Amino acid sequence: MYQSPVLDPLYRATIPISGTDFDGKNLTTYTQDFWVSVLACADRFQFRNPANGISTSLTSFSALGKETNSLRLTKLQLATVRSLYYTIGSSITYQTVQSRGANSLRASDVVSGTDHLSPGLPDNQWQIEATELFSVSMAKLQQQIIGYATGPTYIHEGMHFTQGDKDLCQRQKIRGVSGYLSFSVLGVSIILILGCLFIITALVLDSTVGFFRRKLDWKDHKRLQWAVDEKLQIQRLAFEGAGHGTWTGGTDAVPKTRADDWLLLDQNPTSIT
């Protein structure tokens, strides 16, 4: 029964029934116009071989399997069609309704109480039901295809896989919704190896070039200019200008003082105004 009239052709309910609620107030509900309403769904399928353009007819599930022999499929294509065929068989509308019963109807979601009272339904409820049945079938189809890549949970005695089945399992790729990321191991390895080579080259290039320039006495003025422009050498020049420390290694990467030298800074510099 419904609390308001229902004009949807599948659930049509316009016959009023007068009664009272728990508080004794008048209450009008509506019951169905027909004892039985029918919604017919026809599932039709088609396979097509993209290599030669041959297709099956748009036909029922039972007839589809008989027509696949005319597609001239390779072993890999045959394994793909076989996987899709058995997947389709478990996701057709009949299987969706038969396994879920009344729960397959969205109208049952708003029914409450022991008297099965519903607040009412929209005029296009039959379209909502058909869309829901199709969505559930598509979800089952996707789940079965993903399950093919993970393999069966139980392999009974005598069960075997063709070479096409094995090739299909290795080639199947599924887009992860979240938490997973596909990447190329070869690409990551190349990036890591080249990155390490660049880092090592940057670390040893400066000292290696400086070593050979000193040994060969080749453009030594450029090497000296490069060395004295380093931060530690600039700091050494500042300390030497202030008269602090006895320094060695004026052209090295790290200048040094004597072990007993103290580098003291004036804590009370003269202010400049």
Side-chain angles (χ1 to χ4, degrees):
M1 291 189 295
Y2 303 92
Q3 293 177 330
S4 59
V6 177
L7 301 180
D8 178 77
L10 183 63
Y11 295 94
R12 187 175 180 85
T14 58
I15 302 175
I17 298 178
S18 300
T20 57
D21 59 13
F22 293 106
D23 298 328
K25 297 180 180 180
N26 292 331
L27 177 66
T28 301
T29 57
Y30 298 86
T31 187
Q32 65 273 13
D33 292 7
F34 309 100
W35 285 104
V36 177
S37 297
V38 178
L39 174 63
C41 298
D43 292 319
R44 296 194 298 172
F45 309 94
Q46 184 181 48
F47 285 141
R48 177 180 176 84
N49 187 343
N52 53 31
I54 301 177
S55 304
T56 64
S57 59
L58 192 61
T59 184
S60 64
F61 170 73
S62 58
L64 182 65
K66 301 176 183 178
E67 296 189 20
T68 54
N69 296 328
S70 62
L71 297 179
R72 302 175 187 175
L73 303 172
T74 64
K75 292 182 178 180
L76 180 59
Q77 289 175 327
L78 184 60
T80 305
V81 168
R82 186 187 301 113
S83 172
L84 290 174
Y85 180 76
Y86 289 117
T87 300
I88 290 172
S90 61
S91 62
I92 58 179
T93 306
Y94 169 79
Q95 295 292 346
T96 301
V97 176
Q98 190 268 344
S99 60
R100 300 177 64 197
N103 291 327
S104 61
L105 299 176
R106 292 293 301 273
S108 61
D109 295 344
V110 294
V111 175
S112 62
T114 56
D115 52 356
H116 304 291
L117 186 64
S118 172
L121 297 173
D123 296 345
N124 65 333
Q125 182 65 31
W126 73 272
Q127 294 176 327
I128 297 175
E129 301 291 1
T131 302
E132 175 70 9
L133 293 175
F134 180 77
S135 299
V136 172
S137 297
M138 290 297 99
K140 293 173 66 176
L141 181 66
Q142 293 172 349
Q143 192 276 332
Q144 293 286 341
I145 292 177
I146 293 175
Y148 183 89
T150 60
T153 55
Y154 170 73
I155 302 178
H156 58 78
E157 185 177 356
M159 185 177 182
H160 68 281
F161 299 95
T162 66
Q163 186 60 42
D165 294 326
K166 296 177 182 179
D167 292 341
L168 178 61
C169 185
Q170 295 295 326
R171 298 187 183 191
Q172 185 169 333
K173 296 181 180 180
I174 303 296
R175 179 176 296 179
V177 220
S178 62
Y180 299 94
L181 180 64
S182 298
F183 61 91
S184 170
V185 177
L186 176 62
V188 173
S189 301
I190 292 176
I191 292 174
L192 290 176
I193 293 173
L194 291 179
C196 292
L197 289 177
F198 288 147
I199 293 173
I200 295 173
T201 301
L203 292 175
V204 303
L205 182 62
D206 187 17
S207 56
T208 302
V209 172
F211 172 79
F212 283 106
R213 278 186 169 178
R214 286 195 300 271
K215 292 296 183 181
L216 302 177
D217 195 22
W218 178 65
K219 297 183 179 180
D220 199 49
H221 64 283
K222 291 187 176 181
R223 181 187 65 83
L224 295 176
Q225 183 179 2
W226 184 282
V228 296
D229 284 341
E230 291 288 342
K231 293 181 180 179
L232 294 179
Q233 293 294 349
I234 293 175
Q235 185 183 48
R236 173 188 63 81
L237 293 173
F239 278 120
E240 284 184 340
H244 297 295
T246 302
W247 293 84
T248 57
T251 59
D252 296 337
V254 181
K256 303 179 182 65
T257 64
R258 294 181 305 185
D260 56 349
D261 277 351
W262 286 83
L263 302 179
L264 301 177
L265 297 177
D266 190 354
Q267 299 298 326
N268 297 301
T270 304
S271 59
I272 301 176
T273 58

